[in-house]
Amino acid sequence: MSTVRKPSPAQLAARYRRLDQAMHAVFRDVVAHCEDIREQAEQRLGSADEDLVVTDSEYGKALDLFGEAFDIKTRIQQFRTTWIGDN
């Protein structure tokens, strides 16, 4: 029977740091995507009025994606802080 080797705390910390770095990269991409969609909505609507632009369906979808990515990013940061005591 083979034994499963448990990662050391340092290995786990490094693994979660890499996860956090990857999540930050994804989050930056999502923010850039939302910016592009917002600009396209402004051009379509002929206005930069935030109250009008936020009603655009494509921009609404982009904002939903932003919210989901932000929630995941927050969870990863909370997990790192509470589980491995890493900031």
Side-chain angles (χ1 to χ4, degrees):
M1 178 184 271
S2 67
T3 60
V4 177
R5 200 171 67 177
K6 222 176 176 182
S8 72
Q11 289 170 321
L12 285 174
R15 191 176 295 166
Y16 288 112
R17 276 191 208 97
R18 287 191 306 272
L19 174 61
D20 191 51
Q21 290 167 352
M23 189 61 235
H24 278 283
V26 168
F27 190 69
R28 282 191 304 270
D29 288 347
V30 168
V31 169
H33 170 73
C34 290
E35 251 325 273
D36 291 343
I37 298 299
R38 181 191 53 77
E39 289 173 3
Q40 292 170 14
E42 288 175 352
Q43 290 173 359
R44 263 194 315 279
L45 298 170
S47 174
D49 179 9
E50 187 176 317
D51 291 334
L52 180 60
V53 174
V54 79
T55 64
D56 182 79
S57 65
E58 292 302 312
Y59 187 51
K61 291 176 191 175
L63 289 176
D64 289 344
L65 173 64
F66 173 84
E68 291 172 16
F70 187 79
D71 287 346
I72 292 168
K73 177 179 169 273
T74 301
R75 285 184 198 157
I76 289 170
Q77 289 171 326
Q78 289 171 342
F79 178 75
R80 280 183 47 194
T81 300
T82 58
W83 192 73
I84 62 174
D86 190 28
N87 291 327

